[in-house]
């Protein structure tokens, strides 16, 4: 029995923290819910440090392997006379590391806290009851060892196809058979290079949060954020299995029973390209009293996989299915809230689940391609276009136009990330394009050339005072605008696009264009990465 327990300690996960779970007999005593970091004894601490450094060196070697192999080849080290002794050295190092791992297992076995944890983990794997899962939630450890809480297989979803959920794809160009074959051969080098770029540095540039070394550097901050969500807000961590096999790390805070003003509404948060639910945009709706479900992109935190569009959509799908079938929320009680690149999964969810209550997009963009062209050399334009459209087609605007419900866009007026020139030029913010495309689709008779011109003038205002000046200069009558739109809606009750404004004067269309622009978009005087205050998070406008 002792040898079996030592073996479990040897192959067991890292234990980072022991949470003090809420005391149900004292529901108001938040101050007594603090946990503590796990403190390994001397033997476990030093052996774990050695293995940690070995892991870092392996990561550095992996990422620098192309350059390292070229260097060794030029120096003539890649030959049998050099490789055999090198292999012996590597074998010796591996044997030593195995010995270090055995000593670490011994150190864990001598620690009562770790033995208690591993006993709870093994019991939960054998019998995954709510009581055992509650005990397991009292520990923060390597998420790969966490038993699955929900799988897409538990519900039948007609949205699933052979490769996963469906995505919007560019319209195929009609060509003759011979022309298609010739074009395929001609563009083959572009396909190969584009694939290499997308699967190497391209994906890591687009989603730096998926890089292991960055996650190691952020680990203390992520652990602190997770402890706050669990110990102060009674957050529940869950593992979801998507249709592509990726495991998605989620955190749910339930406010339905504690009397929070918006607790019956669930906000599903979609993070940015270097954001994690532990330190990301979950805090904004939490402060507003909402129930909140956060999740990490594939390859971020405890989630597995890589964050390509198909994997992202698969992850979002299982998160929504979990919210409906396990957490008990109706689609009309769910708000999708996204920051930055999270707008892709948010707009996909809006397109695929049109019954959701509303969508809030903060510091998001209409299309990735203009932003990718901004940071790449001009001579690479054809290659960048092909790579983005083929492998990283984050077409937020196209997806958003499929959604008929309420939408709120939040624009950062000093945004330095999603502008194509610089943060001082608010007219180059791609959030402007997202608003214009949305308004042009929903209200085409209002958004004529004159309507587009006045909205662009309003979007180009450099301060709240100038913005208000533009609005007042066209003498917009808010009450009249509301009455016109309500009258149209009552008479027809049709889906978008609407033909309202068809028989209206130019002045009337201008007023409606500015009125709608201000209802669909709110400005936040800040840079891209500033956390959004809860006072700026609003449910979108609706008639």
């Amino acid at each position: 029995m002792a040898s079996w327990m030592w073996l479990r300690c040897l192959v067991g996960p890292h234990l980072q923290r022991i949470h003090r779970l809420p005391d149900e007999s004292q529901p108001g005593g938040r101050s007594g819910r603090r946990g503590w970091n796990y403190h390994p004894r001397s033997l476990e601490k030093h052996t774990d440090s050695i293995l940690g450094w070995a892991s870092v060196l392996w990561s550095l070697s992996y990422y620098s392997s192309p350059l390292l192999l070229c260097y060794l080849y030029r120096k003539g080290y890649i030959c049998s006379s050099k490789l055999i002794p090198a292999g012996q050295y590597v074998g010796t190092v591996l044997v030593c590391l195995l010995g270090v791992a055995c000593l670490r297992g011994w150190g864990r076995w001598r620690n009562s806290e770790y033995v208690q944890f591993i006993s709870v983990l093994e019991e939960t794997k054998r019998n995954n009851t709510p009581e055992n899962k509650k005990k397991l939630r009292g520990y923060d450890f390597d998420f790969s060892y966490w038993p699955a809480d929900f799988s897409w297989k538990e519900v039948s979803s007609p949205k699933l196809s052979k490769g996963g959920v469906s995505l919007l794809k560019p319209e195929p160009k009609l060509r003759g058979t011979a022309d298609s074959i010739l074009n395929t051969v001609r563009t083959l080098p572009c396909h190969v290079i584009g694939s290499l770029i997308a699967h190497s540095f391209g994906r890591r540039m687009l989603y730096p949060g998926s890089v292991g070394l960055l996650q190691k550097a952020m680990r203390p901050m992520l652990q602190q954020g997770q402890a706050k969500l669990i110990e102060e807000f009674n957050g529940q961590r869950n593992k979801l299995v998507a249709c592509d096999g990726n495991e998605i790390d989620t955190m749910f805070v339930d406010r339905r029973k504690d009397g929070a003003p918006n607790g019956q509404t669930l906000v599903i948060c979609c993070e940015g390209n270097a954001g994690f639910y532990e330190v990301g945009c979950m805090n904004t709706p939490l402060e507003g009293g909402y129930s909140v479900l956060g999740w990490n992109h594939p390859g971020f935190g405890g989630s597995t996989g890589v964050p390509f569009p198909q994997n992202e959509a698969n992850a979002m799908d299982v998160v929504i299915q979990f919210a409906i079938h396990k957490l008990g929320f109706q689609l009309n009680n769910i708000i999708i809230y996204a920051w930055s690149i999270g707008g892709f999964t948010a707009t996909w969810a809006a397109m695929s689940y049109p019954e959701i209550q509303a969508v809030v997009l903060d510091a998001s963009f209409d299309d990735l391609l203009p932003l990718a062209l901004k940071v790449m050399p001009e001579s690479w334009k054809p290659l960048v276009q092909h790579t983005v459209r083929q492998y990283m087609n984050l077409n937020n605007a196209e997806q958003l136009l499929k959604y008929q419900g309420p939408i709120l866009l939040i624009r950062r007026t000093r945004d330095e990330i999603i502008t194509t020139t610089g943060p001082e030029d608010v007219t180059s913010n791609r959030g402007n394009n997202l608003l214009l495309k949305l308004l042009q689709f929903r209200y085409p008779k209002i958004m004529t050339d004159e309507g587009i011109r006045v909205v662009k003038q309003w979007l180009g205002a450099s301060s709240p005072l100038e913005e208000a000046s533009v609005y007042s200069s066209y003498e917009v009558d808010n009450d009249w605008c509301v009455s016109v739109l309500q009258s149209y809606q009552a008479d027809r009750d049709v889906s978008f696009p609407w033909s309202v404004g068809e028989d209206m004067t130019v002045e009337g269309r201008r007023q409606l264009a500015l009125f709608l622009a201000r209802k669909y978009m709110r400005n936040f005087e800040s840079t891209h990465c500033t956390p959004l205050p809860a006072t700026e998070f609003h449910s979108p406008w609706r008639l």
Side-chain angles (χ1 to χ4, degrees):
M1 183 67 183
S3 60
W4 173 252
M5 181 57 70
W6 170 80
L7 182 62
R8 302 313 303 166
C9 293
L10 171 65
V11 299
H14 285 278
L15 177 60
Q16 281 96 27
R17 186 174 175 87
I18 301 170
H19 301 297
R20 180 175 293 171
L21 296 179
D23 185 358
E24 295 183 359
S25 63
Q26 297 177 348
R30 270 194 183 178
S31 60
R33 295 183 181 181
R34 296 289 183 179
W36 59 92
N37 291 329
Y38 169 69
H39 296 291
R41 294 183 178 179
S42 180
L43 180 59
E44 180 185 355
K45 180 179 178 180
H46 293 307
T47 52
D48 200 44
S49 177
I50 294 172
L51 294 174
W53 277 109
S55 175
V56 171
L57 291 175
W58 168 253
S59 297
L60 291 173
S61 301
Y62 173 79
Y63 288 116
S64 62
S65 57
L67 297 175
L68 185 61
L69 288 173
C70 289
Y71 174 79
L72 294 176
Y73 178 78
R74 293 186 63 180
K75 292 293 184 179
Y77 290 119
I78 303 181
C79 58
S80 57
S81 60
K82 301 288 186 180
L83 291 177
I84 292 175
Q88 293 174 342
Y89 290 135
V90 171
T92 302
V93 170
L94 291 177
V95 170
C96 292
L97 290 176
L98 178 61
V100 171
C102 292
L103 290 174
R104 183 180 66 178
W106 176 267
R108 288 173 172 176
W109 184 54
R110 303 291 294 176
N111 191 318
S112 59
E113 284 186 337
Y114 193 91
V115 171
Q116 184 179 5
F117 154 69
I118 206 71
S119 300
V120 171
L121 177 61
E122 291 301 311
E123 179 61 28
T124 306
K125 287 182 177 180
R126 286 193 298 267
N127 189 13
N128 194 1
T129 62
E131 184 179 351
N132 286 336
K133 183 56 69 70
K134 182 179 179 180
K135 293 178 182 178
L136 189 63
R137 286 196 174 100
Y139 298 94
D140 179 15
F141 56 97
D142 291 346
F143 200 60
S144 58
Y145 291 80
W146 189 280
D149 297 283
F150 179 79
S151 171
W152 69 278
K153 295 179 181 179
E154 296 181 27
V155 294
S156 58
S157 177
K159 300 178 185 298
L160 293 177
S161 62
K162 186 176 180 181
V165 297
S166 59
L167 298 178
L168 280 181
K169 298 186 184 295
E171 291 290 332
K173 296 180 180 179
L174 298 177
R175 297 175 177 270
T177 305
D179 190 25
S180 294
I181 296 173
L182 182 62
N183 185 65
T184 301
V185 174
R186 183 173 59 83
T187 59
L188 182 61
C190 190
H191 282 276
V192 173
I193 296 172
S195 178
L196 290 174
I197 290 175
H199 289 84
S200 56
F201 68 86
R203 187 259 297 174
R204 292 171 175 84
M205 285 179 61
L206 187 59
Y207 288 95
S210 65
V211 177
L213 290 176
L214 177 63
Q215 294 191 40
K216 287 181 184 291
M218 293 184 65
R219 184 171 294 166
M221 188 188 306
L222 298 180
Q223 290 173 357
Q224 184 179 3
Q226 187 176 114
K228 177 182 178 181
L229 290 170
I230 293 174
E231 295 164 16
E232 293 187 19
F233 294 99
N234 195 19
Q236 297 180 9
R237 198 179 187 191
N238 295 283
K239 176 186 284 189
L240 317 183
V241 181
C243 60
D244 51 17
N246 286 337
E247 298 172 347
I248 307 303
D249 183 4
T250 70
M251 180 68 71
F252 171 56
V253 177
D254 193 352
R255 312 295 288 277
R256 287 174 288 189
K257 295 180 180 179
D258 61 3
N262 301 304
Q264 299 302 317
T265 300
L266 176 68
V267 178
I268 298 180
C269 297
C270 305
E271 301 291 345
N273 64 355
F276 303 80
Y277 71 69
E278 292 91 338
V279 293
C281 59
M282 273 189 72
N283 289 316
T284 297
L286 272 179
E287 292 176 14
Y290 293 89
S291 294
V292 183
L293 176 59
W295 61 283
N296 280 329
H297 299 282
F300 284 57
S303 298
T304 62
V306 288
F308 281 109
Q310 184 65 65
N311 307 111
E312 288 273 279
N314 294 342
M316 187 70 199
D317 186 69
V318 76
V319 168
I320 294 177
Q321 294 289 344
F322 174 70
I324 298 169
H325 296 283
K326 280 288 187 178
L327 302 182
F329 287 91
Q330 300 295 320
L331 281 172
N332 57 11
N333 288 326
I334 294 177
I335 295 176
I336 308 294
Y337 169 48
W339 173 63
S340 190
I341 208 170
F344 172 74
T345 48
T347 54
W348 179 89
M351 172 185 70
S352 304
Y353 294 90
E355 302 91 350
I356 63 173
Q357 183 183 126
V359 175
V360 179
L361 302 179
D362 177 17
S364 197
F365 51 86
D366 62 322
D367 189 8
L368 177 65
L369 183 58
L371 299 173
L373 291 172
K374 177 187 75 170
V375 298
M376 302 302 287
E378 178 67 25
S379 58
W380 287 32
K381 183 176 180 179
L383 180 60
V384 173
Q385 288 177 326
H386 170 79
T387 303
V388 169
R389 289 289 177 246
Q390 192 69 28
Y391 302 102
M392 302 172 177
N393 191 30
L394 305 188
N395 48 347
N396 298 349
E398 285 186 78
Q399 295 183 148
L400 191 62
L401 299 187
K402 305 292 183 182
Y403 176 62
Q404 294 283 320
I407 297 168
L408 174 63
L409 309 179
I410 300 173
R411 183 181 66 161
R412 310 295 184 99
T413 56
R414 299 196 299 274
D415 200 309
E416 73 282 15
I417 302 298
I418 64 167
T419 53
T420 52
T421 56
E424 67 284 347
D425 183 13
V426 71
T427 60
S428 70
N429 188 309
R430 295 304 300 187
N432 301 343
N433 303 76
L434 185 57
L435 174 67
L436 288 169
K437 289 176 180 178
L438 178 63
L439 294 180
Q440 285 178 274
F441 171 77
R442 290 194 167 189
Y443 312 97
K445 304 302 181 181
I446 295 174
M447 295 301 293
T448 57
D449 291 343
E450 188 63 23
I452 293 172
R453 185 187 67 80
V454 296
V455 171
K456 284 185 175 179
Q457 183 182 353
W458 178 77
L459 290 170
S462 58
S463 67
L465 185 62
E466 185 180 345
E467 177 191 333
S469 175
V470 171
Y471 196 80
S472 61
S473 67
Y474 288 96
E475 301 179 347
V476 180
D477 186 339
N478 294 334
D479 294 335
W480 176 81
C481 292
V482 170
S483 66
V484 169
L485 295 171
Q486 286 179 340
S487 176
Y488 179 90
Q489 184 185 49
D491 291 344
R492 294 163 183 80
D493 193 24
V494 294
S495 58
F496 295 111
W498 286 5
S499 60
V500 60
E502 191 172 17
D503 300 321
M504 196 172 289
T505 63
V506 173
E507 290 75 12
R509 287 198 293 266
R510 287 173 181 166
Q511 287 193 51
L512 282 171
L514 284 173
F515 173 81
L516 290 167
R518 197 162 74 163
K519 290 298 182 182
Y520 277 91
M521 175 176 279
R522 296 178 64 92
N523 284 326
F524 178 43
E525 301 293 318
S526 176
T527 56
H528 187 79
C529 296
T530 304
L532 186 73
T535 54
E536 296 291 332
F537 183 84
H538 304 278
S539 184
W541 168 79
R542 64 182 74 211
L543 281 173

